[in-house]
Amino acid sequence: MPNSNAKLHSNHRGGQEAGRRELVSRSLQSAQHCLEDHDFGTAYAHYLLVLNLAPELKTAVKETFQFTLFKWAEELDSLARIQDLFNCYEQALELYPNDEVICNSMGEHLFRMGFRDEAAGYFHKAVKLNPDFADAKENFYRVANWLVERWHFIMLNDAKRNLTYLKAIENAVRSGCKSVLDIGTGTGILSMFAKKAGACSVYACELSKTMYELARDVVAANNMEREIKLLHLKSLDIEIPKHMPERVSLVVTETVDAGLFGEGIVESLVHAWEHLLLQPK
C-alpha cells in the first residue's frame, strides 16, 4: 500500500508539471498572437502568467516582456489610466527588481506627470544598476537640474563660508558636543565636517529624495556611510527613539538661503530645540 500511495503522488506531481508546461506554452503562444494584433494589454497579462508560473523563463522572455510593458504603458498613459500604469510597473519591478531599463522607463513616466523627485529616484537606481546606461544618466542629470537649486553650487564653492562652518563645528565638538544633527543636509558637507571634527554620533536629515540620494553617494565616496546616519525625513517628523536613539548635543544647518526664512528654518529649529536637542541643565 505505501508503494501504491507513493506512485499515486508521483503521478499526481507529474500531471501537475505537465499541466503547468502546457499552460505556459499556450500562454506564450497567445501572448505572441496578441502582440501581432497589437493587443498589448492582453499580451502583458499572458506574460505575467507565464513569468509567475515559470520564473525560470525570465531571462528568455525579458526583452519581449519589456517591449510589451512599454507599449501597454503608452496606451494606459494615453487613456489617462495612471493608476493602472503604475500598477503594471510595480508588477514588472517585482519580477525584475534590478532591471535598469524598466526603472528608467518608470522614471520617464513619473517625470512627464510632474513627479520629478520620484522620477529622480528611479533614474538614480537605473544608473546605479548600470553606470554605462546613457539614457538613464541623461535623464538623471536632466531631472537633477530641475531639483537641485542653483544656490547649492554657489555655497559649495564658497571656500570662506565653508571654512567658517568647519571652524565653528570643530569648536563646538571640542567643547563637548559629541552628538550632532544636520538639518537639511544637502550634499552632507556639514555632517562630514562634524564627523571629521570628532563627533561620536552624526545624524543628517534631508527631505528631497534627489538630495538624499546625492548625500548618500557623497558620504559613501568619503568612506563615512557607516559613521553618518542619513534620514530621508523632514526634521519636523523625526522622532526619538524611532529615528534617533537620543537627543543630540548640537544641531547644525545650512538651510538659510538668501531669503533667510525662505525654507521654514525657524519652525525647524524650534522643533529641534524642543524635541531633538539636549536641554541645558
Side-chain angles (χ1 to χ4, degrees):
M1 183 67 69
N3 289 336
S4 177
N5 287 336
K7 185 175 181 180
L8 286 173
H9 284 301
S10 177
N11 289 338
H12 180 66
R13 286 196 299 270
Q16 284 185 323
E17 177 60 22
R20 183 187 73 90
R21 288 198 301 266
E22 178 65 20
L23 182 55
V24 168
S25 177
R26 288 185 178 182
S27 292
L28 283 172
Q29 291 176 10
S30 297
Q32 189 59 45
H33 291 320
C34 290
L35 287 178
E36 292 170 359
D37 294 336
H38 292 183
D39 183 359
F40 300 113
T42 307
Y44 176 76
H46 280 298
Y47 278 119
L48 282 183
L49 178 61
V50 168
L51 290 169
N52 278 286
L53 287 175
E56 67 274 13
L57 295 178
K58 282 184 179 180
T59 301
V61 304
K62 180 178 177 179
E63 290 187 8
T64 310
F65 175 76
Q66 288 175 343
F67 172 81
T68 306
L69 167 67
F70 300 155
K71 287 295 186 180
W72 179 225
E74 287 177 7
E75 284 193 22
L76 292 173
D77 192 12
S78 67
L79 296 169
R81 292 171 56 183
I82 306 307
Q83 189 57 56
D84 288 335
L85 185 153
F86 288 148
N87 288 342
C88 286
Y89 273 96
E90 288 176 3
Q91 293 167 338
L93 287 170
E94 285 180 6
L95 292 166
Y96 296 96
N98 295 318
D99 188 289
E100 70 273 18
V101 178
I102 295 177
C103 286
N104 182 65
S105 180
M106 176 66 156
E108 290 176 338
H109 282 288
L110 287 165
F111 184 78
R112 283 196 295 271
M113 294 173 191
F115 301 108
R116 292 169 181 162
D117 210 25
E118 293 83 354
Y122 280 98
F123 293 145
H124 184 263
K125 182 179 179 180
V127 174
K128 281 284 191 179
L129 290 167
N130 182 0
D132 297 324
F133 190 6
D135 287 349
K137 287 200 292 187
E138 182 180 344
N139 285 332
F140 180 69
Y141 294 143
R142 179 174 51 148
V143 75
N145 284 332
W146 285 92
L147 294 172
V148 180
E149 300 288 349
R150 290 293 181 268
W151 48 262
H152 275 290
F153 302 104
I154 298 173
M155 288 163 56
L156 285 171
N157 286 284
D158 189 337
K160 183 177 179 180
R161 178 191 181 105
N162 293 336
L163 183 60
T164 301
Y165 266 102
L166 174 61
K167 289 181 177 179
I169 291 172
E170 287 177 340
N171 290 337
V173 172
R174 290 193 190 109
S175 69
C177 296
K178 296 300 183 180
S179 54
V180 181
L181 170 63
D182 179 8
I183 295 178
T185 192
T187 59
I189 187 171
L190 299 188
S191 298
M192 291 187 291
F193 283 171
K195 196 62 196 178
K196 287 182 178 179
C200 298
S201 303
V202 179
Y203 309 92
C205 64
E206 176 56 54
L207 180 59
S208 165
K209 177 69 172 176
T210 302
M211 294 308 299
Y212 167 75
E213 294 289 353
L214 178 60
R216 288 182 60 184
D217 286 347
V218 172
V219 168
N222 285 273
N223 299 313
M224 292 187 182
E225 64 270 30
R226 295 183 179 180
E227 300 174 325
I228 298 173
K229 182 175 181 180
L230 287 165
L231 303 169
H232 182 215
L233 286 172
K234 188 176 182 180
S235 62
L236 298 174
D237 295 331
I238 295 176
E239 298 177 17
I240 294 174
K242 182 178 180 180
H243 302 114
M244 298 183 345
E246 59 186 355
R247 289 174 179 251
V248 297
S249 53
L250 176 66
V251 171
V252 297
T253 185
E254 202 172 10
T255 52
V256 182
D257 63 1
L260 189 59
F261 302 115
E263 299 186 52
I265 184 60
V266 173
E267 186 181 10
S268 296
L269 291 179
V270 167
H271 175 78
W273 171 261
E274 293 178 345
H275 302 285
L276 307 176
L277 190 65
L278 285 169
Q279 299 298 312
K281 297 181 180 179

